Amino acid sequence: MLFAVLWLALPLGLSPAAALTGADADQGAGTGVPDARSRESGPVVPDGASPSSRKAPKDKRTQLEGLFAALKAAPDDRSAKVIGDRLDQVFNTTDSASVDLLMIRASVALEAKQYDLALKILGQAIEIDPDDIGALSKRATIYYMRDDYGPALADIREVLAREPRHFAMLYGLALILRDMGDDKRALEATRKALEVNPRLDGAKELEAQLTLTVEGRGI
């Protein structure tokens, strides 16, 4: 399953252009950046980010609050995966029949590895509903898979502005930052993802690796 990274953008002070060059500037529940290439995969937004973003309907917010609470308290990996899958379903639920149809078509294109077509379809869905977390996170995932970090970071930023607890995007952010050599911020993003989902697959291992690099071996 594709799960549609931050402290990206605003929180980490990184911009897409700066991110790709390594320069400082500004710039992720069962949903987000996948391990689609047999590589490890999966942010935080500033307090004032995207104040005009549309909030989810009350019933949807209620579902999300309950699911995030259950995820944090999940007793085992299987339970965490079930809850994460349910979060993915909620994030991919829209009020638009047109967007729903486009998302189905994008998923089919992804399964067939027709990434250019999938990106085009997702772009159409986002034009209809710019606040659609499901479409934004899935597009970020494709960009990540293609090592196209600038657009991936931009979409991750948008996802996190709408849902800062999107642990898959936080994890994805960590992976991108690690690849760019920013281990310190990668560690911050990984820990943020683990705060939301303590059983996130691969995250504990990544945290251990980054901790050793950033903080050294404990005495």
Side-chain angles (χ1 to χ4, degrees), residues 25-161:
D26 96 34
Q27 231 333 144
T31 63
V33 175
D35 188 353
R37 296 182 306 176
S38 299
R39 63 187 284 179
E40 303 172 280
S41 57
V44 187
V45 176
D47 294 339
S50 192
S52 62
S53 294
R54 186 180 68 208
K55 292 183 178 180
K58 184 176 181 180
D59 59 337
K60 189 171 183 178
R61 294 202 307 273
T62 299
Q63 289 185 62
L64 289 174
E65 292 303 323
L67 287 169
F68 276 122
L71 182 63
K72 195 166 187 176
D76 51 53
D77 292 345
R78 182 181 178 185
S79 299
K81 184 181 185 306
V82 170
I83 297 168
D85 288 347
R86 178 54 185 153
L87 274 165
D88 195 39
Q89 293 174 3
V90 174
F91 281 134
N92 282 282
T93 298
T94 74
D95 297 322
S96 168
S98 297
V99 172
D100 289 339
L101 179 59
L102 289 170
M103 290 298 289
I104 292 173
R105 291 178 58 198
S107 295
V108 172
L110 276 173
E111 288 296 325
K113 297 184 179 181
Q114 297 176 327
Y115 300 129
D116 288 338
L117 177 58
L119 287 172
K120 180 179 179 180
I121 296 171
L122 290 169
Q124 294 172 347
I126 293 168
E127 283 186 13
I128 296 172
D129 184 359
D131 290 312
D132 183 18
I133 288 178
L136 286 165
S137 61
K138 191 160 292 188
R139 191 170 69 173
T141 295
I142 298 175
Y143 284 135
Y144 168 79
M145 292 164 59
R146 293 164 58 131
D147 293 326
D148 200 349
Y149 289 165
L153 291 177
D155 280 349
I156 287 169
R157 168 182 175 174
E158 294 299 324
V159 172
L160 293 173

